[in-house]
Amino acid sequence: MINVAILGFGVVGSGVAEVLTTNAGHIDQKTDNLIRLKYILDVREFPDSPYASQVIHDFSIIEQDPEVQIVVETIGGAKIAKEFTERALRAGKCVVTSNKELVAEHGVELLELAKANGVHYLFEASVGGGIPIIRPLNQCLAANEIEEICGILNGTTNYILTRMIKGGLSFDAALKEAQRNGYAEQDPTADIEGHDACRKICILASLAFGRHVYPRQVPTEGITHVTLADVAYADTCGKKIKLLGRAIRQEDGKICAYVAPHLVDCENPLAGVEDVFNAISIRGNAIGDVMFYGRGAGKLPTASAVVADVMDAARHLNSKRQLYWGPGGEDVTVPMDGLSCPWYVRANAKTEAIKAVFGTVSFLARPGAPAGEVAFLTGAMDRSSLDQKLAGVEQLSIMRVLD
Ligand code: HSE
């Protein structure tokens, strides 16, 4: 028998308990073992829960129990979750997590610690919710030199943008809906300001390119400034606004990674990814483009990935096959300033003035636009060239166009 302890009985933790219990027969058969939930650690009591008898409040009980081989960390954050993860790994237990903040900030140290203790640290659920992406990137695409990763990595913001685009909802109303559906982080700032997507692109980039990429190395812009006016202008030119995380390998091997909203052409498959769905497009030098799509947030989709990791750990308790990437450093990434692309601009200006500075641009029109508002798409240029041309212009919104 293999005993599991869950740390944190929130949305994901309770989903893990539910999947472990509901699918126990299938899970036991597939792992050729009995996987049982022994403890749930939380500061709260859950007297009405079917798992009430498993709830404990002292981590050292789990740490000192030799019968617990696998610890599921679904606390979130990088403080107590880090301490418990380190203690569990040092106690010789495998740790499985959905905690992208912890992996993005401390993945390299925790992977080292797991290796030193001969156990696994697995985090399939940390990126893309239920979408298989960590294991495919690490195993199935291992033969490739990865050239680029580009994805819709946050379900909450994709839900908000979809409701703005298709339902005409305001940003605030759409955010409230996403929170009601349990997609948003406890503090939705991490979603709407792009930090959650940033952590996920850091994890993917670290895995794909072999050196730790830290969130502080990834310029990040969220969607709080996106308005229904921008949505309408994008629609008039056959594009959708999507928050993308990108990591691009430069010729010298350095990585340019960032998170920002983009205008995406409707013919690009990423434009058709709606609601809470995520999609991650990866370009490898042997496979070309490959795309992963599915539910990127929510209780059971995320629990599906966590429990798959529990099963993997259970099957390979004594194996040395471990995830690994090398240490980070200032030499790993390059700034995004040099990245050239077309731009969407909405500004208060006269069309003649824009023409005089930019030459040929594609002007956009929308019904009900206020007098003096102008919107247009530029040719490809880097950010500093754009800023030079827009000097003195009252800017209302600027976004990259995915080319
Ligand atoms: N808040 C996250 C999202 C949850 O909306 O994508 C899954 O990581």
Side-chain angles (χ1 to χ4, degrees):
M1 185 187 299
I2 291 178
N3 288 288
V4 176
I6 297 174
L7 314 183
F9 202 51
V11 173
V12 179
S14 60
V16 171
E18 191 177 324
V19 173
L20 279 175
T21 312
T22 311
N23 294 352
H26 160 83
I27 290 168
D28 291 349
Q29 193 186 10
K30 284 250 173 176
T31 48
D32 200 18
N33 215 318
L34 297 176
I35 313 280
R36 291 295 171 264
L37 178 56
K38 185 161 184 183
Y39 302 114
I40 293 168
L41 182 85
D42 203 289
V43 290
R44 300 163 291 180
E45 298 288 352
F46 296 90
D48 302 326
S49 161
Y51 307 101
S53 64
Q54 281 124 306
V55 174
I56 60 167
H57 310 292
D58 179 1
F59 176 72
S60 60
I61 294 172
I62 295 168
E63 188 180 26
Q64 289 164 16
D65 186 341
E67 288 186 348
V68 174
Q69 292 105 322
I70 302 173
V71 171
V72 171
E73 186 272 295
T74 49
I75 299 171
K79 292 191 179 117
I80 195 74
K82 178 168 182 272
E83 184 196 322
F84 288 169
T85 298
E86 289 171 343
R87 285 169 60 183
L89 293 171
R90 285 201 187 97
K93 302 174 194 307
C94 296
V95 177
V96 169
T97 189
S98 58
N99 186 339
K100 49 257 165 177
E101 185 176 350
L102 188 55
V103 180
E105 290 289 354
H106 299 288
V108 66
E109 305 151 44
L110 295 171
L111 286 167
E112 279 285 354
L113 190 58
K115 195 173 174 186
N117 287 280
V119 291
H120 300 280
Y121 183 53
L122 300 174
F123 39 86
E124 181 64 64
S126 66
V127 181
I131 306 173
I133 181 67
I134 299 292
R135 199 165 280 101
L137 185 54
N138 193 48
Q139 292 180 16
C140 314
L141 301 177
N144 287 264
E145 185 91 69
I146 301 298
E147 294 167 352
E148 177 169 352
I149 302 170
C150 177
I152 295 172
L153 298 168
N154 182 267
T156 302
T157 45
N158 204 45
Y159 184 89
I160 291 170
L161 290 170
T162 304
R163 296 294 286 137
M164 290 173 75
I165 294 166
K166 291 183 91 174
L169 258 67
S170 70
F171 175 87
D172 289 338
L175 172 59
K176 286 204 175 76
E177 265 192 18
Q179 286 175 306
R180 274 202 299 279
N181 290 333
Y183 303 144
E185 299 296 304
Q186 279 177 353
D187 175 3
T189 313
D191 295 298
I192 61 182
E193 298 292 0
H195 306 310
D196 179 75
C198 170
R199 291 164 187 150
K200 290 166 177 169
I201 198 70
C202 286
I203 296 170
L204 293 178
S206 302
L207 194 56
F209 303 115
R211 300 274 309 271
H212 194 104
V213 176
Y214 290 96
R216 63 178 162 73
Q217 295 176 295
V218 178
T220 296
E221 183 187 323
I223 62 161
T224 51
H225 63 82
V226 176
T227 65
L228 288 173
D230 299 316
V231 167
Y233 280 124
D235 187 53
T236 65
C237 59
K239 298 187 194 299
K240 298 243 172 75
I241 299 173
K242 295 287 174 193
L243 182 67
L244 300 180
R246 295 180 80 190
I248 303 154
R249 187 178 186 277
Q250 310 291 295
E251 275 180 13
D252 61 3
K254 295 194 178 189
I255 303 153
C256 175
Y258 69 96
V259 174
H262 288 68
L263 269 66
V264 179
D265 197 88
C266 283
E267 296 201 348
N268 186 315
L270 289 172
V273 177
E274 296 185 334
D275 296 319
V276 73
F277 283 82
N278 285 190
I280 301 145
S281 177
I282 297 180
R283 183 173 304 142
N285 67 346
I287 193 170
D289 289 313
V290 60
M291 195 166 194
F292 300 83
Y293 170 82
R295 289 187 184 277
K299 179 176 170 175
L300 293 180
T302 309
S304 154
V306 173
V307 175
D309 272 351
V310 169
M311 293 168 69
D312 196 28
R315 283 196 210 101
H316 299 102
L317 277 181
N318 300 313
S319 133
K320 294 278 174 255
R321 180 181 60 86
Q322 275 130 347
L323 277 168
Y324 182 74
W325 59 68
E330 295 315 313
D331 58 324
V332 175
T333 54
V334 287
M336 65 189 284
D337 307 353
L339 202 65
S340 179
C341 70
W343 296 84
Y344 158 83
V345 179
R346 182 163 63 89
N348 274 331
K350 292 198 182 330
T351 53
E352 292 71 27
I354 296 298
K355 278 186 206 163
V357 179
F358 281 89
T360 310
V361 292
S362 303
F363 285 103
L364 307 172
R366 68 172 175 112
E373 182 181 85
V374 62
F376 55 95
L377 302 178
T378 74
M381 64 186 77
D382 61 27
R383 180 68 200 231
S384 63
S385 307
L386 181 75
D387 286 342
Q388 273 171 22
K389 288 182 190 295
L390 287 174
V393 173
E394 190 191 339
Q395 301 165 23
L396 300 171
S397 182
I398 295 175
M399 278 181 262
R400 289 178 180 268
V401 178
L402 188 66
D403 56 354

